Amino acid sequence: MGMSVTISAATDHDAEQILKLQYLCYQGEAELYGDYSIAPLTQSLAELRAELAAGCVLVARLGDEVVGSVRGTAGPEGTAVISGMIVHPRMQRHGLGGRLLAAVEARLAAEGATCFRLATGHRNEGNLRLYRKWGYAQVATEQVTRKLTLVTMEKSSKEQQEQREKAPGARDGAAEAALATSF
């Protein structure tokens, strides 16, 4: 019998697995931009533990293995920032990214967020496609280096609801994520 992926709040015990997965997942991003000094590849365990203590960090588990993670911070005036979404390469393209996104949005909405903001590199078509699918729209770009432009995307809670109503499959996935998510 196969195991199911569950999503739950990360603990300090998860920090090393998250950091190793982050290092694995951001190799492709570094290759896209020819820059292996990006923050996710240079983050220390102490810095990650500080993030775990300060904000909302969720993990996706397959048994005892962390196979995905996402971070979020509820900000002023109802705007939440979502960052650090990673999914193990062997688990990608199976809906886990969408489940993580839905779970962190639900958690941040419970903390009062009405708008969600995230950013990704302009060459990362997979991320851009996923975020658009979940109702995010580009609101800004920022050239960080000669090779990297960050694309900032947002959606409001109203857009989130409309997206789920338009896409029954996405709505079912979000409901499934909410049912399978424990905090």
Side-chain angles (χ1 to χ4, degrees), residues 7 10 23 25 29 45 54 63 66 70 78-79 81 85 98 101 104 106 117 129 138 145-146 155 158 176:
I7 298 174
Y23 188 81
C25 291
E29 193 84 6
L45 185 57
V66 172
V70 66
T79 299
V81 176
M85 188 159 75
L101 198 52
V104 76
R117 180 179 297 148
R129 190 172 33 255
Q138 180 176 324
T145 68
R146 204 177 88 241
K155 81 171 180 180
K158 181 181 176 190
E176 176 188 333

Side-chain angles (χ1 to χ4, degrees), residues 30-42:
E31 186 176 336
L32 270 177
Y33 302 103
D35 184 359
Y36 288 84
S37 66
I38 59 176
L41 296 180
T42 60

Side-chain angles (χ1 to χ4, degrees), residues 8-87:
S8 61
T11 66
D12 189 62
H13 179 68
D14 298 317
E16 286 185 45
Q17 284 192 67
I18 295 169
L19 193 62
K20 287 177 184 177
L21 181 60
Q22 176 175 293
Y23 188 81
L24 173 67
C25 291
Y26 276 92
Q27 293 298 312
E29 193 84 6
E31 186 176 336
L32 270 177
Y33 302 103
D35 184 359
Y36 288 84
S37 66
I38 59 176
L41 296 180
T42 60
Q43 185 175 31
S44 71
L45 185 57
E47 291 168 334
L48 179 59
R49 283 196 164 117
E51 282 187 45
L52 283 167
C56 170
V57 181
L58 304 179
V59 291
R61 296 180 204 284
L62 183 61
D64 292 334
E65 180 185 6
V66 172
V67 294
S69 183
V70 66
R71 301 166 202 175
T73 307
E77 299 178 22
T79 299
V81 176
I82 297 171
S83 63
M85 188 159 75
I86 52 177
V87 174

Side-chain angles (χ1 to χ4, degrees), residues 3-7 59-63 67-68 91 96 99 176 180:
M3 289 188 283
S4 299
V5 174
T6 59
I7 298 174
V59 291
R61 296 180 204 284
L62 183 61
V67 294
M91 301 294 292
L96 185 53
R99 286 183 59 198
E176 176 188 333

